[in-house]
Amino acid sequence: MEHNLVTATTIVRRTAVIAALPSSVLLALLPSTARAATPTGEAPTVSAKGAALVAGTSGKLLYAKGANTPRPLASTTKIMLASVVLDTSGVDLKRQVTVKQEYRDYVIENGTSTADLQVGDRLTVEQLLHAALLPSGADAAFALADTYGTGGTSAERTKSFVTKMNTKADELGLPNTDFVTFDGTDAGDVSTPAELAQLARHALENDTFRSAVAKKEYKADAPAANGNTRYYTWYNTNQLLGSYDGVIGIKTGTTTPAGQCLVFAAVRGDKTLVGTILNGSDRYADAAALLDYGFGTDTADTMKLRKLPADAQRD
């Protein structure tokens, strides 16, 4: 799907020697004092073309399938969107942003998921982060990129924001991660399963992000243009949340080029696991199998997915 604000005729991917190294070598490069216990059971078979599971504390790679191969990210791109906003120096979560018509037009033109933001409503940055992460609202993502980018037009501001996303990828040491859009609508928004897991680990260090992605639903009220109050309810598209014991997020994504994508995290006892599924056909079963492998449990087979309300977004 082509992005109507930020385009690229050529995507230049940053390269690094580490990207070509096998997982065994990558593990050897990690500090031994930071390594968690390696799972001892048989590694699961997953439907995804790319997958990774890492220890949340150390980042140690516990499972890899095409872990160093870049693939389209779909809306898991919004993890980086949120990270750039939240890592902004002096970010004011209570700052109000007025919804523009072009945010709604963007959703219609690109056929994306939406938070159904209404023109003229004034939502806080914190509310917009929830709107971008839970129902995967591209309108909310647009609002954030437009607010935190620089330039005289929305096109210039969103383009500069995407540049910030790529700069953040460089800062985090993610050489095979590239962004063309702020919301993942372009097949040029790519990362590897291993790098995406490291991005998720970084994002989870922020309390606002961690709290948001752990919510099954979020209610917000905002001043409307007519002087009344608008009430919003957004449901988390991540059905693994509330279905597998210990899951604390993180983000879904689906486009035709990307297939089913999922970034997930779970905590049991003193162990945190973070994983990624890229281009899968049964992402929740894949994620549950990987978590069982990491935790040494066998609950995936009996897992029942949380049902979404009929009016909830699917992503």
Side-chain angles (χ1 to χ4, degrees):
M1 182 179 297
E2 294 299 324
H3 192 285
N4 69 324
L5 292 175
V6 183
T7 61
T9 56
T10 303
I11 300 172
V12 181
R13 296 177 181 169
R14 294 173 297 276
T15 58
V17 174
I18 192 171
L21 295 176
S23 58
S24 59
V25 176
L26 288 171
L27 294 181
L29 293 175
L30 293 171
S32 59
T33 56
R35 297 180 189 177
T38 301
T40 56
E42 182 178 353
T45 299
V46 298
S47 73
K49 293 181 179 179
L53 183 72
V54 303
T57 301
S58 68
K60 177 184 177 182
L61 190 64
L62 305 175
Y63 176 94
K65 179 180 179 181
N68 297 316
T69 301
R71 296 186 182 280
L73 293 174
S75 286
T76 64
T77 293
K78 295 183 179 102
I79 297 172
M80 180 60 90
L81 168 99
S83 290
V84 170
V85 171
L86 290 169
D87 288 350
T88 299
S89 177
V91 61
D92 180 5
L93 295 176
K94 301 306 178 184
R95 175 182 178 180
Q96 289 189 327
V97 177
T98 301
V99 178
K100 301 177 183 178
Q101 181 64 49
E102 57 188 316
Y103 303 162
R104 291 181 60 86
D105 293 343
Y106 176 80
V107 167
I108 295 172
E109 292 166 2
N110 291 277
T112 64
S113 48
T114 178
D116 197 25
L117 304 183
Q118 299 299 303
V119 177
D121 287 4
R122 301 191 304 278
L123 288 91
T124 67
V125 169
E126 185 172 18
Q127 290 172 332
L128 288 172
L129 285 167
H130 282 81
L133 292 169
L134 273 65
S136 201
D139 43 359
F142 192 164
L144 289 168
D146 192 26
T147 299
Y148 285 92
T150 57
T153 66
S154 60
E156 291 173 348
R157 289 189 291 273
T158 53
K159 182 176 181 180
S160 74
F161 187 87
V162 173
T163 298
K164 291 182 180 182
M165 293 168 68
N166 284 313
T167 298
K168 177 63 67 174
D170 288 338
E171 292 173 354
L172 294 175
L174 310 177
N176 294 296
T177 299
D178 287 281
F179 299 102
V180 180
T181 76
F182 53 76
D183 63 342
T185 55
D186 195 291
D189 298 304
V190 298
S191 186
T192 70
E195 289 186 10
L196 185 56
Q198 298 308 326
L199 170 60
R201 289 180 63 236
H202 170 77
L204 286 170
E205 292 174 357
N206 185 281
D207 290 341
T208 299
F209 180 91
R210 189 181 181 100
S211 173
V213 298
K215 294 182 174 74
K216 298 183 187 71
E217 68 176 73
Y218 179 79
K219 296 182 181 295
D221 57 80
N226 62 6
N228 294 329
T229 299
R230 184 96 57 193
Y231 297 94
Y232 291 94
T233 299
W234 298 308
Y235 300 99
N236 199 323
T237 59
N238 178 13
Q239 291 177 265
L240 195 65
L241 189 68
S243 303
Y244 187 98
D245 183 40
V247 168
I248 59 171
I250 299 176
K251 187 73 190 74
T252 58
T254 306
T255 62
T256 299
Q260 294 182 17
C261 301
L262 180 67
V263 180
F264 56 95
V267 178
R268 287 188 179 180
D270 60 355
K271 180 182 287 189
T272 299
L273 298 174
V274 178
T276 55
I277 297 294
L278 293 180
N279 204 336
S281 60
D282 196 350
R283 58 187 169 186
Y284 297 119
D286 286 350
L290 289 176
L291 289 172
D292 269 358
Y293 175 62
F295 287 128
T297 57
D298 58 356
T299 57
D301 291 341
T302 58
M303 180 182 71
K304 294 183 179 179
L305 283 180
R306 173 177 60 93
K307 293 184 178 180
L308 295 175
D311 60 344
Q313 294 292 297
R314 268 68 176 174
D315 179 36

